[in-house]
Amino acid sequence: MKYKKAQAYYADFNTIEVNRLPIRSYFIPFTTKKGALGSDIKNKRYDSDKVVCLNGIWDFAYYDNPNDLLDTFDTDTMKWDKLDVPSCWQFNGYGNPMYLNARYPFRFNPPKIPTTEPVTKYFSYETWFTHAKEGEYNHLGVYRTFFNAREDKRYIISFLGVCSCIEVYLNGEFIGYSEESHMTSEFDLTNHIKPEANELVCIVHRWCNGSYLECQDMFRNNGIFRDVLLKVEDKVDIWDIDFKYKKAKDGKYTATILVELSGNGKEEIEVSLTGHGIEKNIIGTPVDGKISVEFKDLDVIEWNAEKPTLYDLMVSIPNSYVYTKVGFKNIKIDDAIYYLNNKKIKIRGVNHHDTSPVNGYTMTLDEIEQDLKLCKEYNVNTIRTSHYQPDPYLLELASEIGLYIVDECDLEAHGCRTQSFLFNFNYLSKKRSWMSHYVNRMERHYGRDKLLKTPIIMWSLGNESGDGCNTMAMYEWIKKRSDIPVQYEGAVYNRTKAYDIASQMYPSVADITLVGERKSKTKQFNDRPYWLCEYAHAMGTGPGNLEGYMDVFYKYDNIMGGCIWEMVDHAVLHEDGSYTYGGDHGEWIHDSNFCCDGLFYPNRMPSTGAYIMKHAYRPLRLELASEREIRIFNTLSFTSGKEFRIDFEINGKEFSLIPDVKPLRKKIFEIDLGEIGDKDCFLNAKIYEIKTNRLVDEAQLILSEEIRLKPKKMPLPEEFKLVDGNPVIEFKDSKINTSIPYSILFRAGTDNDKERFYFKTMPKWYDEKEKITETFIGKEKCVVKTIVTANKNTFEVEDTYLGLENGVFVTSIIKPISVSGFLPRFGKAFKLDSSFDDVTYYGRDKESYIDMVDHSKIALCHSKVLDMVENNIKPQESGNRMDTRYAELSNGKVTYRFEAVSEAFNLGIKPYSDLELTKMLHRKDEVRSGTYITISKFQMGIGTGSCGPSTLKEHSYYADREYKLQFIISWSENKDK
Ligand code: GAL
């Protein structure tokens, strides 16, 4: 069939849509009541007899060079490939994945975008003038599928997500055009439909003018990436539904349901609201196709994320039934405190992007469900839908399982800051000519989600688009329609005041403490509820110091909490199981592994960050109040502590407690701890939610701690030698050497080892050199003195080896000679061959550093060497175990043991040396070269310097001090083998 290409709407600034139907609430009608009630929120769009899901394998033709698609094209003679719909081109071999954070992938010249010319010179403050590689164009993809339409109905096609824009054609005719990637676009196909084999053709452009408003930090994918639904409607049908409500002073609610029929219908409309003792039903006749139905004096159970009570709303006309669940909630802001249903709430949140390692933006509803269930499992109560609307299913599921939502509009103009003259972040937000584009996005945001607003606790205007009259116009628009407060981080620093909740990203704990005290220099933070739309950047090893934030969140009522950045790493999975990130796909500009910043790996396996979060977001917080008392803080707002059971264990003795603590209260419980003594004594607690038997937290309270060894002096054992000043212990056919460097002062830089976002601090230490200055070799004792230089610092290290009954007592003292700043680590590194694979240690059971330790407990642990490091997509320092009392490495025949003397140590066990690790970029670079053991006096904390505060001073160690590390090395033969 022949088609004439539509005019270049995608590059026409004055056109954001052609023949697109007005936005309406997301809902799925059925022809019968039974059908509507018989489906569920996940399956209804696939089950409905009024909807045909057009997902499947479509014909696809990809044009690298858009000029290759002629103005008139013939679908009968075109060469077609096959492509799954929904999907993203770049994840299916069309173009390459491209990861960019804050830049446009084209020259900044709004509203102009590349059309038919190649992308050439490209300016940004990050890379100045970069040439795009050859063949970079505003690529386009042509899609085709066929469907039948045998009934005499109205056919509306509904695209739930297409990037960047879509031209729709049917049976040789142009139907319409739409932009805004994450928003539903609907078109009426009826006038061009035929009973059989309708040819639906869509053209998707890589970029449109709207791309200036979609500069989000993510892989920049394209395609029809969400479900395509063909709605088979009656000539008169339910067009739109809104559900509004108000709470009166007496606590009763009035619900108003607004229904609009298409075709100016006069059919009687039945509306019912039922559940939890409410039975309301009204049949009414619309006027001009509209009706507003009111149910008064409703005595409802309000919805909250802890107890998500929903009511059944059914709206019907004789041949169309829409069943949806709705909740009631009441939001009030008083004296800068946010109240939900008259209770203070804390946001324990995450930022959620749509990301799949095999499908880019495309997530199945099962995958969305998996993410939301993970949130519940990890004690998250809020999702910010960064930085666009999610599939509507996410909102419906959140209202059912209980998660608060900060619903964000599809808006980010970040490239204005990185590419405009003089970093003008506000460039587009201030340009009046863009106002209709901004407001249109807000109208559609609200329009689609208004019926699904139950879990929404804030509207968000968007992300990082600066601020100006356009964001203000969005704010004013939504304020006229909704009582739900608005957050927009970009507005906070400007004068527009386009926000109800003050919002910030990545401030320090010290800064938000000032806000808590209402003494922030940024006055706007003090007079409204305040929250962190992003904090605790979870890139690589980390995030450090999450507990610091939690302390402040709980201390101050005006601080609502925040959403960790972000839930899941973005990366591309390959058949061999490897992952790639920015720069690995031939990108001419990219932001490297900045996309690997999630609490969960792309396959949704938890990283340590997820465990840190789970513990930090725990519902019940336990602390010792006195020797025989614990204080329990119930951090929930609507749930009694009685809904949990705590199973305690101390010195082998077990007992349980049902902690009757009211929401948001603390209470002291007396407990029988038995004999504590003066040795290591820990009270271990496992907290279960009784209803689900879910383990919500594991906590450990340290009652007493003592590491005391009384080594008996002997001559140095025969197996001990000094080779070139380094200790070597030879035992039978195995030996333990030192690694390089032996006195280790650095770590392989983590992503968070950055200062002010840019300066990598750790590599400067990699030049470490150690030179022996003095050696004393005696029968019972050897002493080696060295000078260690690194990062322009000079230290003296004195190592003493003393003979013991069955081992060697090592004392290493480091003294500053000429130093400045902080010392990342002080440890001793050893090497065994890789047959030593069995690890037993008594220390923290999870990866832990001084500022990320509370999620772990001291326990006896068994592990293999490979499991002692984390699977960060970009290898880096990981796997430290704090508070280690002893560690044993065995190859089945021989066991080497490192034992603390008076103070526990930090244990590092890796299959490669720390120096080798510094050179690795991907997991495939990991080559096992031995078994490496590092016994450290300390290692600095992790912080969140990749995009936030670097390691705090209190989690760092001054270089100008003397430090002493002591441990015993012993060895034994395994008699059984
Ligand atoms: C924020 C931004 C996020 C993400 C994050 C860093 O500034 O809003 O989209 O880029 O930084 O990972």
Side-chain angles (χ1 to χ4, degrees):
M1 204 169 276
K2 287 219 168 70
Y3 288 83
K4 195 167 157 350
K5 228 174 20 180
Q7 66 190 76
Y9 294 122
Y10 69 99
D12 173 5
F13 180 56
N14 296 317
T15 307
I16 45 184
E17 56 94 0
V18 179
N19 294 333
R20 183 172 69 190
L21 291 169
I23 193 69
R24 56 169 160 168
S25 294
Y26 171 83
F27 58 82
I28 299 289
F30 286 73
T31 56
T32 63
K33 187 171 184 174
K34 198 164 160 234
L37 291 173
S39 191
D40 57 26
I41 51 169
K42 184 158 74 182
N43 290 301
K44 62 184 174 184
R45 68 174 74 153
Y46 311 121
D47 287 350
S48 167
D49 51 0
K50 294 190 79 139
V51 174
V52 182
C53 176
L54 294 183
N55 292 359
I57 299 172
W58 289 24
D59 292 329
F60 182 63
Y62 181 72
Y63 294 86
D64 261 328
N65 183 339
N67 297 304
D68 293 344
L69 179 70
L70 301 178
D71 280 351
T72 305
F73 59 96
D74 187 343
T75 51
D76 296 331
T77 54
M78 271 167 72
K79 225 176 123 273
W80 294 106
D81 294 346
K82 296 283 179 201
L83 182 67
D84 270 336
V85 169
S87 71
C88 294
W89 304 344
Q90 290 84 349
F91 280 69
N92 284 279
Y94 301 100
N96 291 318
M98 177 181 210
Y99 166 58
L100 268 186
N101 171 11
R103 284 175 282 179
Y104 296 109
F106 45 75
R107 190 157 75 90
F108 183 74
N109 187 17
K112 288 209 171 85
I113 44 143
T115 53
T116 50
E117 73 285 7
V119 183
T120 51
K121 241 205 227 141
Y122 177 98
F123 173 81
S124 77
Y125 286 100
E126 285 161 58
T127 38
W128 291 90
F129 289 98
T130 324
H131 271 275
K133 66 181 196 306
E134 221 178 293
E136 288 294 340
Y137 284 92
N138 188 348
H139 312 312
L140 63 82
V142 186
Y143 290 76
R144 176 173 75 166
T145 193
F146 295 91
F147 64 89
N148 295 334
R150 292 199 189 89
E151 293 170 279
D152 180 24
K153 300 270 177 178
R154 186 173 184 214
Y155 288 87
I156 293 175
I157 192 150
S158 186
F159 295 92
L160 300 194
V162 182
C163 187
S164 71
C165 63
I166 188 162
E167 291 163 17
V168 181
Y169 303 80
L170 186 76
N171 299 330
E173 302 291 333
F174 170 68
I175 299 288
Y177 167 80
S178 172
E179 56 192 55
E180 193 183 354
S181 299
H182 294 84
M183 181 39 72
T184 302
S185 303
E186 292 192 320
F187 300 92
D188 192 342
L189 304 179
T190 319
N191 290 341
H192 301 283
I193 215 113
K194 37 181 209 172
E196 308 248 317
N198 287 282
E199 186 181 61
L200 176 73
V201 171
C202 307
I203 297 183
V204 174
H205 298 268
R206 186 183 188 187
W207 302 310
C208 66
N209 302 122
S211 303
Y212 275 106
L213 303 182
E214 294 174 18
C215 189
Q216 288 102 341
D217 176 8
M218 58 191 181
F219 277 90
R220 304 295 172 93
N221 298 326
N222 294 95
I224 302 177
F225 66 88
R226 282 187 187 155
D227 287 354
V228 183
L229 307 176
L230 181 68
K231 297 190 173 159
V232 185
E233 302 198 354
D234 287 283
K235 294 283 152 78
V236 168
D237 216 319
I238 299 170
W239 172 254
D240 200 6
I241 306 172
D242 194 0
F243 172 72
K244 293 174 174 260
Y245 50 80
K246 266 249 155 342
K247 188 177 186 174
K249 286 225 169 68
D250 62 2
K252 302 262 175 67
Y253 276 83
T254 300
T256 309
I257 297 103
L258 300 132
V259 186
E260 191 182 336
L261 299 187
S262 55
N264 208 2
K266 296 184 179 32
E267 263 83 346
E268 283 192 331
I269 302 174
E270 183 168 357
V271 179
S272 69
L273 182 72
T274 53
H276 310 283
I278 287 180
E279 285 284 337
K280 296 278 181 187
N281 195 59
I282 290 186
I283 299 180
T285 313
V287 178
D288 295 333
K290 287 185 185 157
I291 196 168
S292 166
V293 163
E294 233 177 48
F295 296 126
K296 289 199 171 129
D297 284 333
L298 301 174
D299 200 358
V300 302
I301 306 170
E302 289 166 324
W303 182 96
N304 63 70
E306 293 167 31
K307 302 206 179 313
T309 307
L310 293 169
Y311 290 81
D312 298 323
L313 177 69
M314 178 74 89
V315 174
S316 63
I317 56 173
N319 44 15
S320 216
Y321 291 80
V322 174
Y323 166 56
T324 188
K325 290 186 177 161
V326 291
F328 294 84
K329 64 181 189 301
N330 178 256
I331 300 171
K332 189 177 80 188
I333 293 175
D334 189 14
D335 189 25
I337 301 171
Y338 185 109
Y339 293 89
L340 179 75
N341 307 334
N342 276 330
K343 297 275 188 272
K344 295 165 192 157
I345 56 165
K346 287 295 166 194
I347 294 181
R348 293 177 276 264
V350 290
N351 279 279
H352 181 270
H353 256 291
D354 290 348
T355 175
S356 150
V358 289
N359 249 329
Y361 303 159
T362 302
M363 291 184 69
T364 63
L365 301 195
D366 282 336
E367 287 167 341
I368 293 174
E369 181 179 3
Q370 183 190 10
D371 280 4
L372 266 57
K373 288 193 165 157
L374 272 181
C375 286
K376 290 295 279 187
E377 191 184 328
Y378 283 77
N379 297 331
V380 167
N381 72 355
T382 306
I383 285 178
R384 172 177 177 228
T385 68
S386 51
H387 299 301
Y388 40 75
Q389 305 79 13
D391 186 295
Y393 170 64
L394 188 146
L395 301 178
E396 289 198 279
L397 185 58
S399 71
E400 275 201 8
I401 67 174
L403 283 166
Y404 299 122
I405 297 289
V406 177
D407 194 14
E408 192 145 285
C409 189
D410 197 352
L411 180 86
E412 175 158 351
H414 209 148
C416 292
R417 193 175 71 177
T418 54
Q419 286 166 261
S420 72
F421 182 58
L422 292 182
F423 309 95
N424 187 355
F425 214 162
N426 304 331
Y427 188 94
L428 290 180
S429 292
K430 273 190 160 167
K431 260 208 172 357
R432 284 198 173 266
S433 54
W434 282 79
M435 191 178 280
S436 57
H437 293 242
Y438 277 65
V439 175
N440 184 265
R441 283 176 183 244
M442 196 67 218
E443 283 175 29
R444 284 155 54 71
H445 183 50
Y446 173 77
R448 193 200 73 163
D449 291 351
K450 61 187 182 296
L451 184 59
L452 308 182
K453 61 177 169 280
T454 302
I456 300 174
I457 54 164
M458 293 181 216
W459 297 109
S460 170
L461 305 185
N463 189 53
E464 299 185 310
S465 302
D467 186 47
C469 54
N470 300 337
T471 35
M472 190 62 198
M474 291 172 91
Y475 175 79
E476 282 168 350
W477 190 93
I478 187 80
K479 289 313 285 178
K480 287 193 197 117
R481 276 139 191 109
S482 174
D483 294 339
I484 298 174
V486 173
Q487 83 96 39
Y488 176 55
E489 183 260 351
V492 173
Y493 305 99
N494 287 281
R495 284 199 211 112
T496 68
K497 301 274 187 286
Y499 62 97
D500 304 312
I501 315 278
S503 166
Q504 229 191 334
M505 290 180 182
Y506 310 110
S508 67
V509 171
D511 282 351
I512 59 174
T513 305
L514 286 175
V515 178
E517 303 283 350
R518 309 199 189 192
K519 289 184 185 145
S520 173
K521 283 205 189 105
T522 312
K523 299 258 180 314
Q524 314 76 294
F525 292 158
N526 301 329
D527 65 358
R528 274 157 245 222
Y530 169 95
W531 86 303
L532 304 180
C533 62
E534 294 175 30
Y535 80 112
H537 200 247
M539 187 177 182
T541 304
N545 196 32
L546 194 53
E547 269 306 313
Y549 288 89
M550 299 310 297
D551 286 348
V552 185
F553 291 174
Y554 288 125
K555 189 160 174 205
Y556 301 102
D557 288 339
N558 54 329
I559 297 185
M560 290 184 72
C563 285
I564 294 177
W565 185 268
E566 68 176 307
M567 182 169 174
V568 183
D569 281 339
H570 307 224
V572 184
L573 178 65
H574 300 270
E575 269 171 14
D576 62 359
S578 65
Y579 286 112
T580 49
Y581 49 76
D584 293 335
H585 322 97
E587 292 106 312
W588 80 95
I589 43 162
H590 62 85
D591 286 287
S592 187
N593 69 324
F594 204 57
C595 52
C596 302
D597 55 2
L599 299 157
F600 293 86
Y601 293 113
N603 62 2
R604 272 56 181 178
M605 291 306 286
S607 75
T608 304
Y611 296 120
I612 297 174
M613 172 181 77
K614 180 166 183 172
H615 184 66
Y617 286 0
R618 62 198 180 273
L620 300 180
R621 299 188 145 237
L622 275 48
E623 63 181 3
L624 275 183
S626 73
E627 271 196 5
R628 301 262 172 248
E629 288 173 327
I630 54 167
R631 187 180 296 113
I632 300 183
F633 171 27
N634 179 358
T635 68
L636 301 175
S637 305
F638 304 95
T639 308
S640 159
K642 279 197 283 193
E643 299 191 23
F644 298 91
R645 186 188 75 244
I646 311 180
D647 289 350
F648 288 107
E649 184 274 327
I650 181 167
N651 290 334
K653 195 177 130 200
E654 292 177 2
F655 56 96
S656 294
L657 174 78
I658 307 282
D660 184 2
V661 200
K662 293 209 170 74
L664 300 173
R665 289 284 153 78
K666 291 182 180 163
K667 193 167 164 184
I668 290 183
F669 293 83
E670 241 181 69
I671 48 172
D672 176 11
L673 299 174
E675 191 51 46
I676 296 177
D678 56 3
K679 294 260 162 48
D680 275 358
C681 181
F682 310 132
L683 176 64
N684 293 314
K686 287 189 175 179
I687 308 177
Y688 292 91
E689 185 180 49
I690 295 173
K691 197 168 66 191
T692 56
N693 209 28
R694 179 172 78 87
L695 178 64
V696 299
D697 186 40
E698 285 192 73
Q700 184 175 62
L701 303 181
I702 296 183
L703 303 177
S704 94
E705 220 178 348
E706 169 106 276
I707 304 155
R708 237 179 323 167
L709 278 181
K710 290 205 188 86
K712 197 168 156 216
K713 272 198 235 163
M714 302 279 281
L716 276 160
E718 265 175 36
E719 296 89 350
F720 175 84
K721 291 185 186 58
L722 275 185
V723 177
D724 299 333
N726 288 324
V728 174
I729 296 159
E730 276 184 14
F731 187 73
K732 297 269 169 79
D733 51 359
S734 73
K735 70 173 174 179
I736 185 161
N737 286 314
T738 56
S739 176
I740 301 169
Y742 172 45
S743 302
I744 185 163
L745 307 187
F746 65 86
R747 65 175 171 216
T750 66
D751 289 319
N752 281 317
D753 286 329
K754 280 189 197 157
E755 264 173 29
R756 277 164 279 138
F757 301 169
Y758 297 111
F759 305 110
K760 294 196 178 175
T761 45
M762 208 51 71
K764 294 186 207 138
W765 289 88
Y766 299 165
D767 66 353
E768 190 187 321
K769 299 269 172 323
E770 191 163 14
K771 208 167 129 209
I772 298 171
T773 52
E774 228 179 291
T775 313
F776 164 81
I777 302 180
K779 225 171 137 217
E780 290 189 344
K781 167 172 152 179
C782 294
V783 180
V784 182
K785 286 192 183 173
T786 59
I787 293 290
V788 180
T789 55
N791 189 20
K792 299 189 185 134
N793 292 295
T794 310
F795 304 87
E796 184 191 66
V797 176
E798 183 181 307
D799 294 336
T800 307
Y801 304 95
L802 268 185
L804 299 186
E805 258 167 321
N806 63 341
V808 177
F809 181 178
V810 184
T811 301
S812 185
I813 298 171
I814 187 166
K815 295 178 190 160
I817 294 182
S818 148
V819 301
S820 65
F822 297 103
L823 186 55
R825 150 147 102 171
F826 174 50
K828 294 285 174 191
F830 299 91
K831 181 183 177 187
L832 285 165
D833 71 58
S834 45
S835 71
F836 286 84
D837 201 31
D838 292 325
V839 185
T840 300
Y841 70 93
Y842 186 45
R844 293 273 161 192
D845 62 348
K846 293 196 178 71
E847 177 180 57
S848 40
Y849 296 83
I850 184 167
D851 59 354
M852 45 181 268
V853 67
D854 295 343
H855 63 288
S856 62
K857 58 179 190 297
I858 300 170
L860 182 62
C861 305
H862 302 280
S863 173
K864 294 285 180 196
V865 168
L866 281 184
D867 299 327
M868 292 294 287
V869 293
E870 266 284 312
N871 291 320
N872 294 303
I873 291 180
K874 182 172 179 198
Q876 52 194 280
E877 158 60 26
S878 73
N880 189 61
R881 303 296 202 271
M882 285 189 68
D883 297 322
T884 303
R885 275 73 176 144
Y886 70 82
E888 292 178 349
L889 275 297
S890 171
N891 65 355
K893 294 183 207 138
V894 178
T895 301
Y896 289 95
R897 179 178 166 105
F898 297 83
E899 186 145 9
V901 177
S902 54
E903 194 188 332
F905 53 78
N906 284 257
L907 172 70
I909 295 186
K910 297 193 177 82
Y912 31 72
S913 74
D914 287 286
L915 209 52
E916 285 169 331
L917 176 57
T918 60
K919 305 202 174 65
M920 297 177 189
L921 295 174
H922 297 91
R923 294 231 73 94
K924 68 174 168 32
D925 302 334
E926 288 177 311
V927 177
R928 182 150 193 189
S929 59
T931 293
Y932 295 81
I933 307 108
T934 310
I935 309 294
S936 302
K937 163 89 180 174
F938 59 77
Q939 193 181 144
M940 67 187 279
I942 297 294
T944 50
S946 55
C947 190
S950 307
T951 309
L952 298 180
K953 279 204 178 81
E954 58 260 42
H955 302 136
S956 308
Y957 298 84
Y958 284 96
D960 63 356
R961 314 275 147 92
E962 182 177 309
Y963 296 101
K964 180 157 96 181
L965 166 68
Q966 291 189 310
F967 55 94
I968 294 167
I969 314 180
S970 58
W971 49 95
S972 60
E973 198 176 2
N974 190 340
K975 300 275 176 327
D976 311 334
K977 302 274 157 127

